[in-house]
PDB file of all heavy atoms in Angstrom:
ATOM      1  N   THR Z   4      -9.079   3.761  23.571  1.00  0.00           N
ATOM      2  CA  THR Z   4      -7.985   4.715  23.643  1.00  0.00           C
ATOM      3  C   THR Z   4      -8.225   5.729  24.748  1.00  0.00           C
ATOM      4  O   THR Z   4      -9.356   5.992  25.142  1.00  0.00           O
ATOM      5  CB  THR Z   4      -7.816   5.487  22.324  1.00  0.00           C
ATOM      6  OG1 THR Z   4      -9.024   6.189  22.044  1.00  0.00           O
ATOM      7  CG2 THR Z   4      -7.492   4.568  21.173  1.00  0.00           C
ATOM      8  N   ILE Z   5      -7.132   6.290  25.226  1.00  0.00           N
ATOM      9  CA  ILE Z   5      -7.162   7.382  26.196  1.00  0.00           C
ATOM     10  C   ILE Z   5      -6.379   8.521  25.563  1.00  0.00           C
ATOM     11  O   ILE Z   5      -5.197   8.350  25.255  1.00  0.00           O
ATOM     12  CB  ILE Z   5      -6.504   6.955  27.526  1.00  0.00           C
ATOM     13  CG1 ILE Z   5      -7.214   5.730  28.104  1.00  0.00           C
ATOM     14  CG2 ILE Z   5      -6.493   8.108  28.508  1.00  0.00           C
ATOM     15  CD1 ILE Z   5      -6.451   5.074  29.243  1.00  0.00           C
ATOM     16  N   PRO Z   6      -7.008   9.703  25.318  1.00  0.00           N
ATOM     17  CA  PRO Z   6      -6.268  10.801  24.692  1.00  0.00           C
ATOM     18  C   PRO Z   6      -5.176  11.332  25.607  1.00  0.00           C
ATOM     19  O   PRO Z   6      -5.359  11.439  26.812  1.00  0.00           O
ATOM     20  CB  PRO Z   6      -7.336  11.857  24.414  1.00  0.00           C
ATOM     21  CG  PRO Z   6      -8.491  11.499  25.266  1.00  0.00           C
ATOM     22  CD  PRO Z   6      -8.388  10.028  25.592  1.00  0.00           C
ATOM     23  N   ASN Z   7      -4.016  11.662  25.018  1.00  0.00           N
ATOM     24  CA  ASN Z   7      -2.908  12.255  25.751  1.00  0.00           C
ATOM     25  C   ASN Z   7      -2.994  13.765  25.655  1.00  0.00           C
ATOM     26  O   ASN Z   7      -3.579  14.302  24.723  1.00  0.00           O
ATOM     27  CB  ASN Z   7      -1.564  11.810  25.166  1.00  0.00           C
ATOM     28  CG  ASN Z   7      -1.300  10.350  25.396  1.00  0.00           C
ATOM     29  OD1 ASN Z   7      -1.952   9.712  26.200  1.00  0.00           O
ATOM     30  ND2 ASN Z   7      -0.330   9.817  24.673  1.00  0.00           N
ATOM     31  N   LYS Z   8      -2.378  14.450  26.606  1.00  0.00           N
ATOM     32  CA  LYS Z   8      -2.252  15.899  26.498  1.00  0.00           C
ATOM     33  C   LYS Z   8      -1.287  16.185  25.367  1.00  0.00           C
ATOM     34  O   LYS Z   8      -0.213  15.596  25.296  1.00  0.00           O
ATOM     35  CB  LYS Z   8      -1.720  16.492  27.797  1.00  0.00           C
ATOM     36  CG  LYS Z   8      -2.684  16.388  28.948  1.00  0.00           C
ATOM     37  CD  LYS Z   8      -2.074  17.004  30.186  1.00  0.00           C
ATOM     38  CE  LYS Z   8      -3.004  16.859  31.371  1.00  0.00           C
ATOM     39  NZ  LYS Z   8      -2.408  17.372  32.602  1.00  0.00           N
ATOM     40  N   LYS Z   9      -1.656  17.086  24.475  1.00  0.00           N
ATOM     41  CA  LYS Z   9      -0.803  17.407  23.335  1.00  0.00           C
ATOM     42  C   LYS Z   9       0.321  18.324  23.785  1.00  0.00           C
ATOM     43  O   LYS Z   9       0.096  19.413  24.296  1.00  0.00           O
ATOM     44  CB  LYS Z   9      -1.624  18.074  22.228  1.00  0.00           C
ATOM     45  CG  LYS Z   9      -0.859  18.306  20.956  1.00  0.00           C
ATOM     46  CD  LYS Z   9      -0.441  16.996  20.335  1.00  0.00           C
ATOM     47  CE  LYS Z   9       0.241  17.258  19.001  1.00  0.00           C
ATOM     48  NZ  LYS Z   9       0.885  16.106  18.486  1.00  0.00           N
ATOM     49  N   ILE Z  10       1.545  17.870  23.607  1.00  0.00           N
ATOM     50  CA  ILE Z  10       2.726  18.641  23.962  1.00  0.00           C
ATOM     51  C   ILE Z  10       3.469  18.954  22.676  1.00  0.00           C
ATOM     52  O   ILE Z  10       3.715  18.064  21.860  1.00  0.00           O
ATOM     53  CB  ILE Z  10       3.635  17.840  24.930  1.00  0.00           C
ATOM     54  CG1 ILE Z  10       2.863  17.511  26.207  1.00  0.00           C
ATOM     55  CG2 ILE Z  10       4.903  18.612  25.223  1.00  0.00           C
ATOM     56  CD1 ILE Z  10       3.585  16.535  27.104  1.00  0.00           C
ATOM     57  N   GLU Z  11       3.802  20.220  22.461  1.00  0.00           N
ATOM     58  CA  GLU Z  11       4.530  20.604  21.263  1.00  0.00           C
ATOM     59  C   GLU Z  11       5.934  20.015  21.297  1.00  0.00           C
ATOM     60  O   GLU Z  11       6.690  20.237  22.226  1.00  0.00           O
ATOM     61  CB  GLU Z  11       4.613  22.129  21.139  1.00  0.00           C
ATOM     62  CG  GLU Z  11       3.329  22.760  20.635  1.00  0.00           C
ATOM     63  CD  GLU Z  11       2.972  22.298  19.234  1.00  0.00           C
ATOM     64  OE1 GLU Z  11       3.872  22.154  18.383  1.00  0.00           O
ATOM     65  OE2 GLU Z  11       1.779  22.056  18.993  1.00  0.00           O
ATOM     66  N   ASP Z  12       6.257  19.261  20.274  1.00  0.00           N
ATOM     67  CA  ASP Z  12       7.564  18.643  20.171  1.00  0.00           C
ATOM     68  C   ASP Z  12       8.191  19.105  18.855  1.00  0.00           C
ATOM     69  O   ASP Z  12       7.686  18.765  17.785  1.00  0.00           O
ATOM     70  CB  ASP Z  12       7.425  17.120  20.204  1.00  0.00           C
ATOM     71  CG  ASP Z  12       8.756  16.412  20.184  1.00  0.00           C
ATOM     72  OD1 ASP Z  12       9.795  17.077  20.339  1.00  0.00           O
ATOM     73  OD2 ASP Z  12       8.752  15.178  19.994  1.00  0.00           O
ATOM     74  N   PRO Z  13       9.262  19.879  18.884  1.00  0.00           N
ATOM     75  CA  PRO Z  13       9.830  20.402  17.653  1.00  0.00           C
ATOM     76  C   PRO Z  13      10.390  19.316  16.742  1.00  0.00           C
ATOM     77  O   PRO Z  13      10.572  19.546  15.558  1.00  0.00           O
ATOM     78  CB  PRO Z  13      10.938  21.341  18.128  1.00  0.00           C
ATOM     79  CG  PRO Z  13      11.230  20.940  19.523  1.00  0.00           C
ATOM     80  CD  PRO Z  13       9.983  20.318  20.073  1.00  0.00           C
ATOM     81  N   ALA Z  14      10.635  18.122  17.254  1.00  0.00           N
ATOM     82  CA  ALA Z  14      11.209  17.054  16.432  1.00  0.00           C
ATOM     83  C   ALA Z  14      10.163  16.043  15.992  1.00  0.00           C
ATOM     84  O   ALA Z  14      10.502  14.960  15.556  1.00  0.00           O
ATOM     85  CB  ALA Z  14      12.301  16.339  17.211  1.00  0.00           C
ATOM     86  N   SER Z  15       8.888  16.385  16.076  1.00  0.00           N
ATOM     87  CA  SER Z  15       7.871  15.383  15.760  1.00  0.00           C
ATOM     88  C   SER Z  15       7.492  15.356  14.290  1.00  0.00           C
ATOM     89  O   SER Z  15       6.602  14.624  13.898  1.00  0.00           O
ATOM     90  CB  SER Z  15       6.616  15.608  16.618  1.00  0.00           C
ATOM     91  OG  SER Z  15       6.006  16.825  16.259  1.00  0.00           O
ATOM     92  N   GLY Z  16       8.123  16.152  13.452  1.00  0.00           N
ATOM     93  CA  GLY Z  16       7.883  16.070  12.020  1.00  0.00           C
ATOM     94  C   GLY Z  16       6.545  16.638  11.603  1.00  0.00           C
ATOM     95  O   GLY Z  16       5.727  15.933  11.037  1.00  0.00           O
ATOM     96  N   LYS Z  17       6.293  17.901  11.860  1.00  0.00           N
ATOM     97  CA  LYS Z  17       5.019  18.525  11.529  1.00  0.00           C
ATOM     98  C   LYS Z  17       4.879  18.716  10.022  1.00  0.00           C
ATOM     99  O   LYS Z  17       5.847  19.004   9.330  1.00  0.00           O
ATOM    100  CB  LYS Z  17       4.871  19.882  12.227  1.00  0.00           C
ATOM    101  CG  LYS Z  17       4.890  19.801  13.730  1.00  0.00           C
ATOM    102  CD  LYS Z  17       3.683  19.065  14.222  1.00  0.00           C
ATOM    103  CE  LYS Z  17       3.705  18.950  15.717  1.00  0.00           C
ATOM    104  NZ  LYS Z  17       2.760  18.040  16.246  1.00  0.00           N
ATOM    105  N   VAL Z  18       3.664  18.609   9.530  1.00  0.00           N
ATOM    106  CA  VAL Z  18       3.364  18.864   8.134  1.00  0.00           C
ATOM    107  C   VAL Z  18       2.798  20.270   8.049  1.00  0.00           C
ATOM    108  O   VAL Z  18       1.862  20.615   8.764  1.00  0.00           O
ATOM    109  CB  VAL Z  18       2.334  17.836   7.596  1.00  0.00           C
ATOM    110  CG1 VAL Z  18       1.926  18.186   6.188  1.00  0.00           C
ATOM    111  CG2 VAL Z  18       2.923  16.457   7.652  1.00  0.00           C
ATOM    112  N   SER Z  19       3.353  21.104   7.161  1.00  0.00           N
ATOM    113  CA  SER Z  19       2.877  22.475   7.060  1.00  0.00           C
ATOM    114  C   SER Z  19       2.174  22.732   5.742  1.00  0.00           C
ATOM    115  O   SER Z  19       2.071  23.868   5.305  1.00  0.00           O
ATOM    116  CB  SER Z  19       4.048  23.443   7.241  1.00  0.00           C
ATOM    117  OG  SER Z  19       5.016  23.186   6.253  1.00  0.00           O
ATOM    118  N   THR Z  20       1.712  21.694   5.083  1.00  0.00           N
ATOM    119  CA  THR Z  20       0.963  21.846   3.847  1.00  0.00           C
ATOM    120  C   THR Z  20      -0.387  22.455   4.175  1.00  0.00           C
ATOM    121  O   THR Z  20      -1.056  22.041   5.112  1.00  0.00           O
ATOM    122  CB  THR Z  20       0.776  20.471   3.171  1.00  0.00           C
ATOM    123  OG1 THR Z  20       2.060  19.872   3.034  1.00  0.00           O
ATOM    124  CG2 THR Z  20       0.116  20.617   1.822  1.00  0.00           C
ATOM    125  N   SER Z  21      -0.827  23.435   3.381  1.00  0.00           N
ATOM    126  CA  SER Z  21      -2.055  24.149   3.708  1.00  0.00           C
ATOM    127  C   SER Z  21      -3.278  23.241   3.702  1.00  0.00           C
ATOM    128  O   SER Z  21      -4.206  23.441   4.465  1.00  0.00           O
ATOM    129  CB  SER Z  21      -2.273  25.313   2.733  1.00  0.00           C
ATOM    130  OG  SER Z  21      -2.442  24.807   1.427  1.00  0.00           O
ATOM    131  N   SER Z  22      -3.311  22.235   2.829  1.00  0.00           N
ATOM    132  CA  SER Z  22      -4.469  21.347   2.794  1.00  0.00           C
ATOM    133  C   SER Z  22      -4.553  20.473   4.039  1.00  0.00           C
ATOM    134  O   SER Z  22      -5.610  19.979   4.381  1.00  0.00           O
ATOM    135  CB  SER Z  22      -4.429  20.463   1.549  1.00  0.00           C
ATOM    136  OG  SER Z  22      -3.302  19.615   1.600  1.00  0.00           O
ATOM    137  N   LEU Z  23      -3.432  20.271   4.723  1.00  0.00           N
ATOM    138  CA  LEU Z  23      -3.416  19.439   5.919  1.00  0.00           C
ATOM    139  C   LEU Z  23      -3.332  20.257   7.195  1.00  0.00           C
ATOM    140  O   LEU Z  23      -3.388  19.710   8.283  1.00  0.00           O
ATOM    141  CB  LEU Z  23      -2.232  18.474   5.869  1.00  0.00           C
ATOM    142  CG  LEU Z  23      -2.237  17.475   4.718  1.00  0.00           C
ATOM    143  CD1 LEU Z  23      -0.951  16.685   4.726  1.00  0.00           C
ATOM    144  CD2 LEU Z  23      -3.425  16.561   4.794  1.00  0.00           C
ATOM    145  N   ALA Z  24      -3.203  21.572   7.086  1.00  0.00           N
ATOM    146  CA  ALA Z  24      -3.002  22.405   8.257  1.00  0.00           C
ATOM    147  C   ALA Z  24      -4.232  22.454   9.164  1.00  0.00           C
ATOM    148  O   ALA Z  24      -4.115  22.710  10.345  1.00  0.00           O
ATOM    149  CB  ALA Z  24      -2.617  23.815   7.841  1.00  0.00           C
ATOM    150  N   THR Z  25      -5.416  22.209   8.628  1.00  0.00           N
ATOM    151  CA  THR Z  25      -6.633  22.275   9.432  1.00  0.00           C
ATOM    152  C   THR Z  25      -6.921  20.974  10.156  1.00  0.00           C
ATOM    153  O   THR Z  25      -7.732  20.949  11.071  1.00  0.00           O
ATOM    154  CB  THR Z  25      -7.845  22.627   8.546  1.00  0.00           C
ATOM    155  OG1 THR Z  25      -7.973  21.637   7.531  1.00  0.00           O
ATOM    156  CG2 THR Z  25      -7.666  23.999   7.920  1.00  0.00           C
ATOM    157  N   ARG Z  26      -6.280  19.898   9.771  1.00  0.00           N
ATOM    158  CA  ARG Z  26      -6.508  18.618  10.434  1.00  0.00           C
ATOM    159  C   ARG Z  26      -5.826  18.610  11.784  1.00  0.00           C
ATOM    160  O   ARG Z  26      -4.683  18.996  11.916  1.00  0.00           O
ATOM    161  CB  ARG Z  26      -5.963  17.461   9.594  1.00  0.00           C
ATOM    162  CG  ARG Z  26      -6.811  17.251   8.357  1.00  0.00           C
ATOM    163  CD  ARG Z  26      -6.509  15.944   7.713  1.00  0.00           C
ATOM    164  NE  ARG Z  26      -6.658  14.875   8.678  1.00  0.00           N
ATOM    165  CZ  ARG Z  26      -6.315  13.639   8.423  1.00  0.00           C
ATOM    166  NH1 ARG Z  26      -5.821  13.308   7.287  1.00  0.00           N
ATOM    167  NH2 ARG Z  26      -6.464  12.707   9.337  1.00  0.00           N
ATOM    168  N   GLN Z  27      -6.544  18.139  12.799  1.00  0.00           N
ATOM    169  CA  GLN Z  27      -5.987  18.098  14.140  1.00  0.00           C
ATOM    170  C   GLN Z  27      -5.242  16.800  14.405  1.00  0.00           C
ATOM    171  O   GLN Z  27      -4.187  16.797  14.986  1.00  0.00           O
ATOM    172  CB  GLN Z  27      -7.106  18.261  15.177  1.00  0.00           C
ATOM    173  CG  GLN Z  27      -7.809  19.606  15.098  1.00  0.00           C
ATOM    174  CD  GLN Z  27      -6.892  20.744  15.450  1.00  0.00           C
ATOM    175  OE1 GLN Z  27      -6.062  20.608  16.329  1.00  0.00           O
ATOM    176  NE2 GLN Z  27      -7.011  21.858  14.770  1.00  0.00           N
ATOM    177  N   ASP Z  28      -5.818  15.703  13.965  1.00  0.00           N
ATOM    178  CA  ASP Z  28      -5.258  14.391  14.288  1.00  0.00           C
ATOM    179  C   ASP Z  28      -4.495  13.850  13.087  1.00  0.00           C
ATOM    180  O   ASP Z  28      -5.062  13.212  12.217  1.00  0.00           O
ATOM    181  CB  ASP Z  28      -6.398  13.440  14.684  1.00  0.00           C
ATOM    182  CG  ASP Z  28      -5.891  12.162  15.302  1.00  0.00           C
ATOM    183  OD1 ASP Z  28      -4.686  12.089  15.598  1.00  0.00           O
ATOM    184  OD2 ASP Z  28      -6.693  11.244  15.475  1.00  0.00           O
ATOM    185  N   LEU Z  29      -3.183  14.138  13.025  1.00  0.00           N
ATOM    186  CA  LEU Z  29      -2.376  13.708  11.891  1.00  0.00           C
ATOM    187  C   LEU Z  29      -1.661  12.397  12.156  1.00  0.00           C
ATOM    188  O   LEU Z  29      -1.077  11.826  11.256  1.00  0.00           O
ATOM    189  CB  LEU Z  29      -1.351  14.795  11.542  1.00  0.00           C
ATOM    190  CG  LEU Z  29      -1.947  16.129  11.091  1.00  0.00           C
ATOM    191  CD1 LEU Z  29      -0.842  17.139  10.885  1.00  0.00           C
ATOM    192  CD2 LEU Z  29      -2.758  15.959   9.828  1.00  0.00           C
ATOM    193  N   THR Z  30      -1.669  11.924  13.387  1.00  0.00           N
ATOM    194  CA  THR Z  30      -1.014  10.663  13.712  1.00  0.00           C
ATOM    195  C   THR Z  30      -2.038   9.722  14.329  1.00  0.00           C
ATOM    196  O   THR Z  30      -2.682  10.058  15.315  1.00  0.00           O
ATOM    197  CB  THR Z  30       0.151  10.889  14.696  1.00  0.00           C
ATOM    198  OG1 THR Z  30      -0.347  11.548  15.845  1.00  0.00           O
ATOM    199  CG2 THR Z  30       1.242  11.721  14.071  1.00  0.00           C
ATOM    200  N   LYS Z  31      -2.170   8.558  13.735  1.00  0.00           N
ATOM    201  CA  LYS Z  31      -3.106   7.552  14.229  1.00  0.00           C
ATOM    202  C   LYS Z  31      -2.468   6.182  14.086  1.00  0.00           C
ATOM    203  O   LYS Z  31      -1.749   5.928  13.128  1.00  0.00           O
ATOM    204  CB  LYS Z  31      -4.397   7.549  13.409  1.00  0.00           C
ATOM    205  CG  LYS Z  31      -5.341   8.657  13.686  1.00  0.00           C
ATOM    206  CD  LYS Z  31      -6.620   8.390  12.896  1.00  0.00           C
ATOM    207  CE  LYS Z  31      -7.630   9.471  13.111  1.00  0.00           C
ATOM    208  NZ  LYS Z  31      -8.829   9.253  12.308  1.00  0.00           N
ATOM    209  N   PHE Z  32      -2.779   5.322  15.025  1.00  0.00           N
ATOM    210  CA  PHE Z  32      -2.346   3.935  14.947  1.00  0.00           C
ATOM    211  C   PHE Z  32      -3.568   3.036  15.043  1.00  0.00           C
ATOM    212  O   PHE Z  32      -4.512   3.342  15.773  1.00  0.00           O
ATOM    213  CB  PHE Z  32      -1.396   3.591  16.102  1.00  0.00           C
ATOM    214  CG  PHE Z  32       0.017   4.062  15.895  1.00  0.00           C
ATOM    215  CD1 PHE Z  32       0.495   5.175  16.561  1.00  0.00           C
ATOM    216  CD2 PHE Z  32       0.873   3.386  15.054  1.00  0.00           C
ATOM    217  CE1 PHE Z  32       1.792   5.609  16.396  1.00  0.00           C
ATOM    218  CE2 PHE Z  32       2.181   3.801  14.880  1.00  0.00           C
ATOM    219  CZ  PHE Z  32       2.640   4.926  15.550  1.00  0.00           C
ATOM    220  N   HIS Z  33      -3.546   1.938  14.312  1.00  0.00           N
ATOM    221  CA  HIS Z  33      -4.562   0.898  14.428  1.00  0.00           C
ATOM    222  C   HIS Z  33      -3.883  -0.394  14.837  1.00  0.00           C
ATOM    223  O   HIS Z  33      -2.787  -0.704  14.370  1.00  0.00           O
ATOM    224  CB  HIS Z  33      -5.287   0.680  13.100  1.00  0.00           C
ATOM    225  CG  HIS Z  33      -6.322   1.722  12.818  1.00  0.00           C
ATOM    226  ND1 HIS Z  33      -7.158   1.644  11.745  1.00  0.00           N
ATOM    227  CD2 HIS Z  33      -6.662   2.862  13.463  1.00  0.00           C
ATOM    228  CE1 HIS Z  33      -7.969   2.684  11.743  1.00  0.00           C
ATOM    229  NE2 HIS Z  33      -7.671   3.440  12.770  1.00  0.00           N
ATOM    230  N   LEU Z  34      -4.559  -1.152  15.706  1.00  0.00           N
ATOM    231  CA  LEU Z  34      -4.058  -2.461  16.134  1.00  0.00           C
ATOM    232  C   LEU Z  34      -4.762  -3.546  15.343  1.00  0.00           C
ATOM    233  O   LEU Z  34      -5.980  -3.549  15.233  1.00  0.00           O
ATOM    234  CB  LEU Z  34      -4.331  -2.666  17.625  1.00  0.00           C
ATOM    235  CG  LEU Z  34      -3.482  -1.851  18.580  1.00  0.00           C
ATOM    236  CD1 LEU Z  34      -4.038  -1.946  19.986  1.00  0.00           C
ATOM    237  CD2 LEU Z  34      -2.059  -2.352  18.559  1.00  0.00           C
ATOM    238  N   ILE Z  35      -3.997  -4.469  14.793  1.00  0.00           N
ATOM    239  CA  ILE Z  35      -4.557  -5.596  14.058  1.00  0.00           C
ATOM    240  C   ILE Z  35      -3.984  -6.872  14.654  1.00  0.00           C
ATOM    241  O   ILE Z  35      -2.788  -7.114  14.519  1.00  0.00           O
ATOM    242  CB  ILE Z  35      -4.205  -5.523  12.559  1.00  0.00           C
ATOM    243  CG1 ILE Z  35      -4.674  -4.181  11.993  1.00  0.00           C
ATOM    244  CG2 ILE Z  35      -4.824  -6.680  11.804  1.00  0.00           C
ATOM    245  CD1 ILE Z  35      -4.172  -3.915  10.598  1.00  0.00           C
ATOM    246  N   PRO Z  36      -4.736  -7.686  15.338  1.00  0.00           N
ATOM    247  CA  PRO Z  36      -6.138  -7.572  15.745  1.00  0.00           C
ATOM    248  C   PRO Z  36      -6.284  -6.627  16.936  1.00  0.00           C
ATOM    249  O   PRO Z  36      -5.314  -6.380  17.657  1.00  0.00           O
ATOM    250  CB  PRO Z  36      -6.498  -9.001  16.150  1.00  0.00           C
ATOM    251  CG  PRO Z  36      -5.234  -9.592  16.623  1.00  0.00           C
ATOM    252  CD  PRO Z  36      -4.145  -8.963  15.792  1.00  0.00           C
ATOM    253  N   PRO Z  37      -7.496  -6.097  17.174  1.00  0.00           N
ATOM    254  CA  PRO Z  37      -7.689  -5.143  18.261  1.00  0.00           C
ATOM    255  C   PRO Z  37      -7.691  -5.764  19.652  1.00  0.00           C
ATOM    256  O   PRO Z  37      -7.694  -5.055  20.647  1.00  0.00           O
ATOM    257  CB  PRO Z  37      -9.046  -4.513  17.956  1.00  0.00           C
ATOM    258  CG  PRO Z  37      -9.747  -5.515  17.116  1.00  0.00           C
ATOM    259  CD  PRO Z  37      -8.696  -6.249  16.359  1.00  0.00           C
ATOM    260  N   ARG Z  38      -7.706  -7.102  19.753  1.00  0.00           N
ATOM    261  CA  ARG Z  38      -7.642  -7.793  21.054  1.00  0.00           C
ATOM    262  C   ARG Z  38      -6.968  -9.146  20.829  1.00  0.00           C
ATOM    263  O   ARG Z  38      -6.970  -9.679  19.724  1.00  0.00           O
ATOM    264  CB  ARG Z  38      -9.029  -7.958  21.661  1.00  0.00           C
ATOM    265  CG  ARG Z  38      -9.919  -8.947  20.971  1.00  0.00           C
ATOM    266  CD  ARG Z  38     -11.339  -8.936  21.483  1.00  0.00           C
ATOM    267  NE  ARG Z  38     -11.995  -7.663  21.364  1.00  0.00           N
ATOM    268  CZ  ARG Z  38     -12.575  -7.210  20.251  1.00  0.00           C
ATOM    269  NH1 ARG Z  38     -12.551  -7.926  19.157  1.00  0.00           N
ATOM    270  NH2 ARG Z  38     -13.160  -6.026  20.227  1.00  0.00           N
ATOM    271  N   VAL Z  39      -6.378  -9.683  21.895  1.00  0.00           N
ATOM    272  CA  VAL Z  39      -5.709 -10.987  21.816  1.00  0.00           C
ATOM    273  C   VAL Z  39      -6.386 -11.929  22.807  1.00  0.00           C
ATOM    274  O   VAL Z  39      -6.468 -11.621  23.997  1.00  0.00           O
ATOM    275  CB  VAL Z  39      -4.201 -10.869  22.143  1.00  0.00           C
ATOM    276  CG1 VAL Z  39      -3.553 -12.238  22.160  1.00  0.00           C
ATOM    277  CG2 VAL Z  39      -3.519  -9.965  21.144  1.00  0.00           C
ATOM    278  N   ILE Z  40      -6.878 -13.056  22.303  1.00  0.00           N
ATOM    279  CA  ILE Z  40      -7.470 -14.087  23.150  1.00  0.00           C
ATOM    280  C   ILE Z  40      -6.684 -15.371  22.894  1.00  0.00           C
ATOM    281  O   ILE Z  40      -6.759 -15.948  21.807  1.00  0.00           O
ATOM    282  CB  ILE Z  40      -8.966 -14.272  22.846  1.00  0.00           C
ATOM    283  CG1 ILE Z  40      -9.712 -12.955  23.080  1.00  0.00           C
ATOM    284  CG2 ILE Z  40      -9.552 -15.379  23.713  1.00  0.00           C
ATOM    285  CD1 ILE Z  40     -11.155 -12.963  22.662  1.00  0.00           C
ATOM    286  N   PHE Z  41      -5.914 -15.786  23.888  1.00  0.00           N
ATOM    287  CA  PHE Z  41      -5.082 -16.977  23.745  1.00  0.00           C
ATOM    288  C   PHE Z  41      -5.881 -18.263  23.863  1.00  0.00           C
ATOM    289  O   PHE Z  41      -5.466 -19.293  23.358  1.00  0.00           O
ATOM    290  CB  PHE Z  41      -3.954 -16.973  24.795  1.00  0.00           C
ATOM    291  CG  PHE Z  41      -2.787 -16.108  24.425  1.00  0.00           C
ATOM    292  CD1 PHE Z  41      -2.629 -14.861  24.985  1.00  0.00           C
ATOM    293  CD2 PHE Z  41      -1.844 -16.544  23.514  1.00  0.00           C
ATOM    294  CE1 PHE Z  41      -1.554 -14.063  24.665  1.00  0.00           C
ATOM    295  CE2 PHE Z  41      -0.759 -15.758  23.175  1.00  0.00           C
ATOM    296  CZ  PHE Z  41      -0.618 -14.499  23.749  1.00  0.00           C
ATOM    297  N   GLY Z  42      -7.003 -18.240  24.568  1.00  0.00           N
ATOM    298  CA  GLY Z  42      -7.790 -19.457  24.772  1.00  0.00           C
ATOM    299  C   GLY Z  42      -7.290 -20.204  26.004  1.00  0.00           C
ATOM    300  O   GLY Z  42      -6.802 -19.615  26.951  1.00  0.00           O
TER     301      GLY Z  42
END
């Protein structure tokens, strides 16, 4: 991965719950499988 510059987006659906307010990385994606080998 390459980190992107964080840009405030008012439409990105922020969570304002106090238990989650300290977490920085609230959005993550995983690729399944992490690589493709066609052969």
